[in-house]
Amino acid sequence: MKIVIPDIPEEGLIVELEEKISLEGFSVSSPVKAQLAVSKTANEVMVTGSLSVELAMECSRCLKDVQQAQDLPVNVVYHPAEEIGSEKHGLRDDEMDMGFYTGEELDLQELITEQILLSVQMKPLCNEDCKGICPKCGIDLNTGTCTCVQKEIDPRLEVLKKLLQKEKE
Ligand SMILES: [Zn+2]
Ligand SMILES: [Zn+2]
């Protein structure tokens, strides 16, 4: 959904939307719901509110599917792209994210996608103490055990063994 900036009334806009979005590397299980208040000052556009999203990801240790439901606050102030790099933003408001817009339109879908990507855990876990899977036999160590670990040779010994073998040759 796009907002035409000159059309934003002085008192602001309340936008409620449900968007299906796609994110690279994740599957988004349900449409993203967002409630946003859009207002503008001279040439800045403020978007505040919240959005909720459900993501389906793989646990970074055991590869099990993990559902992550998140409610994210949205606090973004958009400046015209012409201002990039200018010193106009001396007053930094740490509560707000900063964005830039070009032309007269603001793409809310882009905003939503960005907000989700910013908050997504890069290494999701099904459980804080997930034991993961054995890299050798692939058994899920949360539900089973294997003997691979014990058999593992200390890598330093491995090097030594190779050296000794070379000497023999
Ligand atoms: Zn896991
Ligand atoms: Zn194993």
Side-chain angles (χ1 to χ4, degrees), residues 10-156:
E10 223 166 288
E11 66 274 17
L13 270 180
I14 300 289
V15 185
E16 281 189 41
L17 58 113
E18 264 191 55
E19 293 247 7
K20 274 207 179 262
I21 62 160
S22 56
L23 291 180
E24 217 172 305
F26 301 100
S27 84
V28 185
S29 359
S30 59
V32 179
K33 287 187 195 138
Q35 260 139 25
L36 302 171
V38 185
S39 61
K40 66 172 176 185
T41 56
N43 56 4
E44 287 168 8
V45 182
M46 310 242 294
V47 184
T48 56
S50 64
L51 56 92
S52 61
V53 62
E54 245 176 68
L55 297 172
M57 292 182 275
E58 271 179 355
C59 171
S60 59
R61 288 187 197 151
C62 72
L63 308 181
K64 224 181 283 167
D65 284 335
V66 188
Q67 291 280 341
Q68 234 187 41
Q70 288 187 307
D71 285 307
L72 307 173
V74 179
N75 287 296
V76 191
V77 56
Y78 283 89
H79 300 270
E82 304 89 80
E83 285 185 16
I84 294 178
S86 80
E87 293 301 307
K88 274 191 187 175
H89 318 297
L91 288 173
R92 275 275 178 83
D93 188 342
D94 288 335
E95 306 266 287
M96 305 290 286
D97 293 326
M98 205 194 285
F100 292 95
Y101 67 85
T102 43
E104 298 196 325
E105 278 182 344
L106 200 64
D107 190 340
L108 288 183
Q109 184 160 347
E110 231 166 67
L111 175 148
I112 288 169
T113 312
E114 272 173 22
Q115 293 294 311
I116 294 171
L117 282 177
L118 282 175
S119 72
V120 135
Q121 277 179 276
M122 285 337 256
K123 288 189 180 290
L125 293 176
C126 61
N127 182 318
E128 283 292 323
D129 343 284
C130 173
K131 297 194 189 83
I133 53 177
C134 171
K136 287 207 167 155
C137 69
I139 196 170
D140 184 344
L141 296 172
N142 296 303
T143 54
T145 47
C146 63
T147 50
C148 301
V149 187
Q150 286 96 309
K151 280 184 197 158
E152 211 153 3
I153 302 169
D154 188 320
R156 283 165 300 182

Side-chain angles (χ1 to χ4, degrees), residues 153-165:
I153 302 169
D154 188 320
R156 283 165 300 182
L157 290 179
E158 189 82 47
V159 173
L160 207 69
K161 218 165 85 181
K162 274 188 191 147
L163 280 176
L164 289 172
Q165 244 161 20

